[in-house]
Amino acid sequence: LEDPHFITTDPNALQILEHASKLLAEDQVIAIPTETVYGLASNALRPEAIKGIYKAKNRPLDNPLIVHISSLKMLRSILPNGEIPIVYESAIKRFWPGPLTILLPKSDLIPSEITCNQPTVAIRFPSHPVARALISKCGFPLAAPSANASGRPSPTLASHVLTDLNKKIPLIIDGGQCSFGVESTVIDAIGTKDPVILRPGGVTYEELVKIPEFERLRVYNKDYVDKKQEIAPTTPGMKYRHYSPNAKMVLVDVCGRVGARDIIEREIQKMVNGGMDNIGILVTGSSKTSNGAQPMSVDNFYSNKECAIINDFKVSTANDQNIIEYTLGDSSHPEEIARELFKGLRYLDERKVDCIIVEGISEEKEGLAVMNRLRKAASKTIVE
Ligand code: TXA
Ligand code: MG
């Protein structure tokens, strides 16, 4: 395959949509921007097209895909008897289009390659204008997992997709940096007595629980665990190591506790003393700009390596040791941290750090999704 070409998002870019929809109609797989992360899309109604997704990202064959729609009419056309369960009605009104995925009964129109033989299908109505326009132009729903190579951090820039899938797909549509930066929230309100968040994401628990039907909303692994799931997980977000940088990652999960900064500092110093040449740190700090999409990261290649002051951390390093810092954003704005999270992990990976030390944040609002991803990515978590 030739290198995929980049196309900038332009509201009038009908030609791009034309080209993309033609590829999709031929059962090809392409990368598209969404408001959460980039997606790797193909025709959700065609087994051959869906198989192409698993192949391109080397995804385990038992990890089901999300189906993306661009209208409720399209949704009804793929549901058994065209019925949307009443329990979801308010959530759909409130959060669609947007970063919420719901589990629905599967009809025969949905190939088993999508659902991996589960009785439910995960559906999402994205808000990103390019994704919406493209699905609508295609006239069929698009299956789309995140457009990373399996196991890697999800892509929030078109260049991340290129890094992982170069020469594997014919087209990446560049829509700039994804505004949420973490994947959609996946909820199941039909398979259990009380609705459950299977994967926290762009729509927060605090927002969802306000919906009358979701008053008793649980969060999987926090206040709800299904024994059967633990033995044979059907939501492989729970099963596979995920979102991981190449470097070994240590999560310092001591947010808000007295002496938290000292503990992070001590961990950095431990890595330094252990002789690591390149140490990456991913920390909270001052707020990013208001438009939220600026690459504000700073390399701290200190000229005086005797004592580097990193984000108020005091660490003594040897001459040939580098500490590379990426500031995620203000911890009191978890949406900023979410937006920068995967970009920060990939930024440090590109600089070939030997290890990454990450500062945990509070699990409020988008912080729940951030900590969920960090826990799955970390090879070691420090809690004390
Ligand atoms: O924001 C998003 O959701 C992005 C963008 C591209 O839309 N997509 C995404 O897809 O994150 P993926 O494949 O990376 O994550 C899909 C998650 C997986 O954890 C999968 O296990 C779960 O949804 N899932 C899909 N179908 C399911 C089902 N029938 N039952 C339970 N979990 C399901
Ligand atoms: Mg994914």
Side-chain angles (χ1 to χ4, degrees):
L1 280 173
E2 288 174 10
D3 281 358
H5 43 289
F6 276 86
I7 302 172
T8 310
T9 304
D10 171 344
N12 298 316
L14 291 173
Q15 263 182 317
I16 300 166
L17 291 179
E18 193 73 49
H19 180 50
S21 62
K22 194 168 152 277
L23 292 171
L24 291 165
E26 291 166 0
D27 291 349
Q28 300 215 49
V29 178
I30 66 169
I32 62 167
T34 86
E35 71 278 20
T36 55
V37 301
Y38 277 76
L40 191 60
S42 75
N43 187 340
L45 305 180
R46 306 260 308 166
E48 283 316 307
I50 301 157
K51 282 180 193 155
I53 293 179
Y54 286 92
K55 189 162 171 248
K57 64 176 283 177
N58 197 20
R59 185 180 177 95
L61 292 171
D62 61 350
N63 193 352
L65 305 176
I66 296 174
V67 172
H68 297 67
I69 47 138
S70 61
S71 68
L72 293 185
K73 188 166 163 239
M74 184 183 275
L75 172 61
R76 287 196 191 92
S77 77
I78 55 168
L79 291 181
N81 307 319
E83 276 167 29
I84 302 173
I86 275 174
V87 68
Y88 287 121
E89 261 179 23
S90 315
I92 287 176
K93 272 205 189 103
R94 170 77 182 78
F95 298 110
W96 274 7
L100 179 70
T101 296
I102 60 178
L103 293 199
L104 288 163
K106 172 195 175 306
S107 75
D108 293 342
L109 272 175
I110 303 290
S112 57
E113 283 80 2
I114 294 270
T115 53
C116 308
N117 300 317
Q118 311 223 38
T120 53
V121 57
I123 308 268
R124 171 161 123 74
F125 187 156
S127 63
H128 195 290
V130 172
R132 287 181 72 175
L134 185 59
I135 302 165
S136 155
K137 177 149 184 63
C138 286
F140 48 77
L142 295 179
S146 46
N148 50 290
S150 200
R152 299 264 304 134
S154 296
T156 54
L157 289 172
S159 61
H160 296 160
V161 183
L162 187 64
T163 302
D164 283 16
L165 302 179
N166 193 11
K167 295 200 170 37
K168 297 201 164 143
I169 51 173
L171 178 71
I172 298 169
I173 302 179
D174 187 349
Q177 183 170 357
C178 299
S179 54
F180 284 88
V182 289
E183 299 85 346
S184 60
T185 305
V186 180
I187 55 168
D188 181 4
I190 58 171
T192 46
K193 191 160 129 285
D194 295 322
V196 184
I197 294 184
L198 294 176
R199 177 180 72 181
V203 174
T204 64
Y205 168 85
E206 288 86 342
E207 289 173 291
L208 281 165
V209 81
K210 284 188 204 147
I211 300 267
E213 292 84 347
F214 296 167
E215 206 183 359
R216 291 167 58 81
L217 183 67
R218 313 280 188 91
V219 181
Y220 199 92
N221 259 342
K222 282 194 94 67
D223 48 18
Y224 175 83
V225 181
D226 178 345
K227 293 244 167 63
K228 277 193 302 232
Q229 282 279 344
E230 294 305 297
I231 299 162
T234 52
T235 297
M238 300 170 187
K239 179 168 160 189
Y240 298 104
R241 187 161 181 238
H242 255 66
Y243 318 112
S244 299
N246 296 322
K248 173 182 141 100
M249 195 183 113
V250 177
L251 171 62
V252 184
D253 188 7
V254 292
C255 163
R257 248 162 280 168
V258 181
R261 308 284 292 185
D262 293 344
I263 296 170
I264 299 168
E265 193 167 284
R266 187 197 66 199
E267 286 308 309
I268 301 172
Q269 189 67 60
K270 257 200 228 166
M271 297 292 178
V272 168
N273 297 349
M276 298 245 180
D277 290 335
N278 290 301
I279 299 158
I281 62 170
L282 207 55
V283 282
T284 65
S286 56
S287 187
K288 301 245 163 175
T289 55
S290 52
N291 73 18
Q294 295 301 308
M296 296 276 283
S297 46
V298 188
D299 286 43
N300 289 297
F301 292 101
Y302 296 96
S303 46
N304 174 7
K305 299 279 174 54
E306 290 300 302
C307 183
I309 299 175
I310 306 143
N311 203 302
D312 301 330
F313 299 118
K314 268 195 160 178
V315 181
S316 315
T317 59
N319 271 330
D320 54 355
Q321 288 179 308
N322 291 311
I323 295 183
I324 305 169
E325 175 197 340
Y326 189 99
T327 306
L328 292 168
D330 184 344
S331 58
S332 60
H333 286 278
E335 78 284 1
E336 284 188 7
I337 310 274
R339 194 183 295 133
E340 288 292 309
L341 179 68
F342 291 133
K343 195 167 149 227
L345 288 173
R346 283 177 175 266
Y347 175 90
L348 293 175
D349 252 355
E350 273 162 29
R351 275 144 197 85
K352 307 256 181 291
V353 295
D354 305 303
C355 72
I356 298 176
I357 295 166
V358 189
E359 178 186 349
I361 62 167
S362 142
E363 292 192 313
E364 279 156 49
K365 298 184 182 162
E366 292 82 357
L368 185 65
V370 168
M371 289 307 287
N372 169 275
R373 306 307 187 268
L374 286 176
R375 292 209 168 96
K376 284 194 199 312
S379 28
K380 185 175 159 194
T381 300
I382 301 200
V383 271
E384 52 188 84

